[in-house]
Amino acid sequence: MPMLRPPVPLSLLLSGLLALLLAGCASTAPTSRGEAQSAAMTSSELAQSDVNRMATLGMRDNLDSLLRLGDKLYRRNPAEWRKTGLASREAALARLRSAMESRTPWPELQGKRDIAALSLALAGDFKGDRVAAFIYASADMLVTAHGGKTSFYLTDALDPQYIYNAARNIEIAVWLLSSRRNSAGQPLLLADEISERERNLSFEREFGKVIGRLDLLAVVLTEKYRRAVITYVQNLLGGTFLQFLPVR
């Protein structure tokens, strides 16, 4: 009597299928400046549409960009992380990352969330760690605009207008950061610098990435609903006018 083989685990089957697909679409493009990266496939992706996946990856990259900006701001404004009483910039950044990932309220924001927290972080008389407050409030605003979630599935609905508004909020925050002064008449935080000695626009570029991802997602979301209507009409008309005719 032949022995029965145990069923192949779904995750292993999906991994094998992905490997075959990737092998079939290998690129000959040069990779001297890095390669396009693909995340490992997980079973949870079966519950995600293309737009869900795009929103999830966009959120991941935007939060990473904010943390990268936090590190840059700490480097240019070391007095801010020293307000925390922690031993190093890395420790302050790790504390910030943990709070963002768990959405633990940031004490210095006095219980405020979303745009109220962002306004407080950019107030001229704010006395706490402005870098952490600004980055945390920006992240909280982005998550709020996405319905309070960082991963998205078929049952989730995203409002494109909220995503669009979030992009404009980031633009306003960046402008306030560069133009507003504290009580001593100094910039709230040192960021980009253009001088005879140095030209550093890395902050603007990183903020631009966040804004670009948000704007693209907003457009895709509006296109999603528009295409759903168009597809419905096409199917409705096709049922009557686009049927094949018999040839014999």
Side-chain angles (χ1 to χ4, degrees), residues 213-227:
R213 293 185 195 109
L214 293 170
D215 277 336
L216 178 58
L217 178 59
V219 171
V220 169
L221 287 169
T222 57
E223 184 76 6
K224 170 187 173 182
Y225 296 116
R226 191 175 72 88
R227 290 305 308 174

PDB file of all heavy atoms in Angstrom, residues 213-227:
ATOM      1  N   ARG A 213       4.821  59.829  -1.913  1.00  0.00           N
ATOM      2  CA  ARG A 213       4.126  58.562  -1.669  1.00  0.00           C
ATOM      3  C   ARG A 213       2.658  58.807  -1.316  1.00  0.00           C
ATOM      4  O   ARG A 213       1.764  58.085  -1.785  1.00  0.00           O
ATOM      5  CB  ARG A 213       4.806  57.786  -0.553  1.00  0.00           C
ATOM      6  CG  ARG A 213       6.205  57.284  -0.872  1.00  0.00           C
ATOM      7  CD  ARG A 213       6.759  56.422   0.255  1.00  0.00           C
ATOM      8  NE  ARG A 213       8.197  56.223   0.141  1.00  0.00           N
ATOM      9  CZ  ARG A 213       9.097  56.780   0.946  1.00  0.00           C
ATOM     10  NH1 ARG A 213       8.701  57.548   1.953  1.00  0.00           N
ATOM     11  NH2 ARG A 213      10.380  56.553   0.776  1.00  0.00           N
ATOM     12  N   LEU A 214       2.418  59.803  -0.475  1.00  0.00           N
ATOM     13  CA  LEU A 214       1.042  60.105  -0.073  1.00  0.00           C
ATOM     14  C   LEU A 214       0.213  60.560  -1.264  1.00  0.00           C
ATOM     15  O   LEU A 214      -0.933  60.128  -1.445  1.00  0.00           O
ATOM     16  CB  LEU A 214       1.041  61.179   1.021  1.00  0.00           C
ATOM     17  CG  LEU A 214       1.628  60.771   2.378  1.00  0.00           C
ATOM     18  CD1 LEU A 214       1.782  61.995   3.269  1.00  0.00           C
ATOM     19  CD2 LEU A 214       0.756  59.725   3.053  1.00  0.00           C
ATOM     20  N   ASP A 215       0.770  61.447  -2.072  1.00  0.00           N
ATOM     21  CA  ASP A 215       0.024  61.950  -3.236  1.00  0.00           C
ATOM     22  C   ASP A 215      -0.269  60.826  -4.223  1.00  0.00           C
ATOM     23  O   ASP A 215      -1.370  60.760  -4.799  1.00  0.00           O
ATOM     24  CB  ASP A 215       0.817  63.064  -3.926  1.00  0.00           C
ATOM     25  CG  ASP A 215       0.616  64.417  -3.254  1.00  0.00           C
ATOM     26  OD1 ASP A 215      -0.425  64.605  -2.593  1.00  0.00           O
ATOM     27  OD2 ASP A 215       1.488  65.292  -3.401  1.00  0.00           O
ATOM     28  N   LEU A 216       0.694  59.947  -4.454  1.00  0.00           N
ATOM     29  CA  LEU A 216       0.469  58.834  -5.372  1.00  0.00           C
ATOM     30  C   LEU A 216      -0.627  57.917  -4.857  1.00  0.00           C
ATOM     31  O   LEU A 216      -1.512  57.494  -5.618  1.00  0.00           O
ATOM     32  CB  LEU A 216       1.762  58.043  -5.571  1.00  0.00           C
ATOM     33  CG  LEU A 216       1.661  56.815  -6.489  1.00  0.00           C
ATOM     34  CD1 LEU A 216       1.174  57.205  -7.877  1.00  0.00           C
ATOM     35  CD2 LEU A 216       2.997  56.084  -6.567  1.00  0.00           C
ATOM     36  N   LEU A 217      -0.610  57.603  -3.563  1.00  0.00           N
ATOM     37  CA  LEU A 217      -1.640  56.734  -2.998  1.00  0.00           C
ATOM     38  C   LEU A 217      -3.012  57.385  -3.116  1.00  0.00           C
ATOM     39  O   LEU A 217      -3.997  56.706  -3.433  1.00  0.00           O
ATOM     40  CB  LEU A 217      -1.323  56.424  -1.537  1.00  0.00           C
ATOM     41  CG  LEU A 217      -2.355  55.556  -0.796  1.00  0.00           C
ATOM     42  CD1 LEU A 217      -2.523  54.206  -1.485  1.00  0.00           C
ATOM     43  CD2 LEU A 217      -1.949  55.359   0.664  1.00  0.00           C
ATOM     44  N   ALA A 218      -3.095  58.699  -2.872  1.00  0.00           N
ATOM     45  CA  ALA A 218      -4.380  59.394  -2.983  1.00  0.00           C
ATOM     46  C   ALA A 218      -4.932  59.286  -4.401  1.00  0.00           C
ATOM     47  O   ALA A 218      -6.128  59.031  -4.601  1.00  0.00           O
ATOM     48  CB  ALA A 218      -4.227  60.859  -2.574  1.00  0.00           C
ATOM     49  N   VAL A 219      -4.052  59.453  -5.393  1.00  0.00           N
ATOM     50  CA  VAL A 219      -4.492  59.350  -6.786  1.00  0.00           C
ATOM     51  C   VAL A 219      -4.932  57.927  -7.117  1.00  0.00           C
ATOM     52  O   VAL A 219      -5.963  57.709  -7.766  1.00  0.00           O
ATOM     53  CB  VAL A 219      -3.357  59.794  -7.739  1.00  0.00           C
ATOM     54  CG1 VAL A 219      -3.716  59.472  -9.185  1.00  0.00           C
ATOM     55  CG2 VAL A 219      -3.092  61.282  -7.581  1.00  0.00           C
ATOM     56  N   VAL A 220      -4.161  56.936  -6.665  1.00  0.00           N
ATOM     57  CA  VAL A 220      -4.511  55.540  -6.930  1.00  0.00           C
ATOM     58  C   VAL A 220      -5.852  55.181  -6.299  1.00  0.00           C
ATOM     59  O   VAL A 220      -6.664  54.459  -6.890  1.00  0.00           O
ATOM     60  CB  VAL A 220      -3.395  54.599  -6.420  1.00  0.00           C
ATOM     61  CG1 VAL A 220      -3.849  53.146  -6.435  1.00  0.00           C
ATOM     62  CG2 VAL A 220      -2.147  54.757  -7.274  1.00  0.00           C
ATOM     63  N   LEU A 221      -6.104  55.694  -5.095  1.00  0.00           N
ATOM     64  CA  LEU A 221      -7.373  55.406  -4.426  1.00  0.00           C
ATOM     65  C   LEU A 221      -8.553  56.004  -5.187  1.00  0.00           C
ATOM     66  O   LEU A 221      -9.593  55.355  -5.332  1.00  0.00           O
ATOM     67  CB  LEU A 221      -7.342  55.951  -2.997  1.00  0.00           C
ATOM     68  CG  LEU A 221      -6.475  55.179  -2.003  1.00  0.00           C
ATOM     69  CD1 LEU A 221      -6.323  55.966  -0.709  1.00  0.00           C
ATOM     70  CD2 LEU A 221      -7.080  53.806  -1.715  1.00  0.00           C
ATOM     71  N   THR A 222      -8.401  57.241  -5.683  1.00  0.00           N
ATOM     72  CA  THR A 222      -9.489  57.831  -6.454  1.00  0.00           C
ATOM     73  C   THR A 222      -9.665  57.085  -7.775  1.00  0.00           C
ATOM     74  O   THR A 222     -10.781  56.885  -8.238  1.00  0.00           O
ATOM     75  CB  THR A 222      -9.222  59.314  -6.736  1.00  0.00           C
ATOM     76  OG1 THR A 222      -7.962  59.454  -7.431  1.00  0.00           O
ATOM     77  CG2 THR A 222      -9.156  60.112  -5.456  1.00  0.00           C
ATOM     78  N   GLU A 223      -8.564  56.659  -8.370  1.00  0.00           N
ATOM     79  CA  GLU A 223      -8.626  55.892  -9.615  1.00  0.00           C
ATOM     80  C   GLU A 223      -9.292  54.535  -9.380  1.00  0.00           C
ATOM     81  O   GLU A 223     -10.031  54.033 -10.242  1.00  0.00           O
ATOM     82  CB  GLU A 223      -7.213  55.696 -10.156  1.00  0.00           C
ATOM     83  CG  GLU A 223      -7.129  54.995 -11.503  1.00  0.00           C
ATOM     84  CD  GLU A 223      -7.519  55.893 -12.655  1.00  0.00           C
ATOM     85  OE1 GLU A 223      -7.746  57.086 -12.429  1.00  0.00           O
ATOM     86  OE2 GLU A 223      -7.594  55.401 -13.784  1.00  0.00           O
ATOM     87  N   LYS A 224      -9.054  53.957  -8.221  1.00  0.00           N
ATOM     88  CA  LYS A 224      -9.636  52.649  -7.893  1.00  0.00           C
ATOM     89  C   LYS A 224     -11.147  52.690  -7.982  1.00  0.00           C
ATOM     90  O   LYS A 224     -11.779  51.830  -8.608  1.00  0.00           O
ATOM     91  CB  LYS A 224      -9.192  52.241  -6.488  1.00  0.00           C
ATOM     92  CG  LYS A 224      -9.914  51.027  -5.924  1.00  0.00           C
ATOM     93  CD  LYS A 224      -9.540  50.799  -4.477  1.00  0.00           C
ATOM     94  CE  LYS A 224     -10.370  49.693  -3.843  1.00  0.00           C
ATOM     95  NZ  LYS A 224     -10.042  49.500  -2.407  1.00  0.00           N
ATOM     96  N   TYR A 225     -11.756  53.690  -7.373  1.00  0.00           N
ATOM     97  CA  TYR A 225     -13.215  53.772  -7.370  1.00  0.00           C
ATOM     98  C   TYR A 225     -13.739  54.174  -8.758  1.00  0.00           C
ATOM     99  O   TYR A 225     -14.786  53.716  -9.191  1.00  0.00           O
ATOM    100  CB  TYR A 225     -13.677  54.762  -6.305  1.00  0.00           C
ATOM    101  CG  TYR A 225     -13.321  54.311  -4.909  1.00  0.00           C
ATOM    102  CD1 TYR A 225     -12.443  55.045  -4.113  1.00  0.00           C
ATOM    103  CD2 TYR A 225     -13.829  53.127  -4.381  1.00  0.00           C
ATOM    104  CE1 TYR A 225     -12.087  54.605  -2.852  1.00  0.00           C
ATOM    105  CE2 TYR A 225     -13.477  52.689  -3.112  1.00  0.00           C
ATOM    106  CZ  TYR A 225     -12.610  53.431  -2.349  1.00  0.00           C
ATOM    107  OH  TYR A 225     -12.261  53.004  -1.103  1.00  0.00           O
ATOM    108  N   ARG A 226     -13.009  55.036  -9.449  1.00  0.00           N
ATOM    109  CA  ARG A 226     -13.420  55.426 -10.797  1.00  0.00           C
ATOM    110  C   ARG A 226     -13.378  54.228 -11.738  1.00  0.00           C
ATOM    111  O   ARG A 226     -14.292  54.017 -12.533  1.00  0.00           O
ATOM    112  CB  ARG A 226     -12.486  56.539 -11.309  1.00  0.00           C
ATOM    113  CG  ARG A 226     -12.950  57.209 -12.585  1.00  0.00           C
ATOM    114  CD  ARG A 226     -12.021  58.357 -12.930  1.00  0.00           C
ATOM    115  NE  ARG A 226     -10.750  57.873 -13.399  1.00  0.00           N
ATOM    116  CZ  ARG A 226     -10.493  57.587 -14.686  1.00  0.00           C
ATOM    117  NH1 ARG A 226     -11.428  57.737 -15.597  1.00  0.00           N
ATOM    118  NH2 ARG A 226      -9.304  57.155 -15.040  1.00  0.00           N
ATOM    119  N   ARG A 227     -12.301  53.433 -11.628  1.00  0.00           N
ATOM    120  CA  ARG A 227     -12.187  52.262 -12.496  1.00  0.00           C
ATOM    121  C   ARG A 227     -13.244  51.212 -12.166  1.00  0.00           C
ATOM    122  O   ARG A 227     -13.702  50.486 -13.044  1.00  0.00           O
ATOM    123  CB  ARG A 227     -10.790  51.644 -12.343  1.00  0.00           C
ATOM    124  CG  ARG A 227      -9.657  52.469 -12.926  1.00  0.00           C
ATOM    125  CD  ARG A 227      -9.843  52.827 -14.374  1.00  0.00           C
ATOM    126  NE  ARG A 227     -10.133  51.648 -15.215  1.00  0.00           N
ATOM    127  CZ  ARG A 227     -10.453  51.717 -16.491  1.00  0.00           C
ATOM    128  NH1 ARG A 227     -10.566  52.902 -17.082  1.00  0.00           N
ATOM    129  NH2 ARG A 227     -10.671  50.617 -17.179  1.00  0.00           N
TER     130      ARG A 227
END
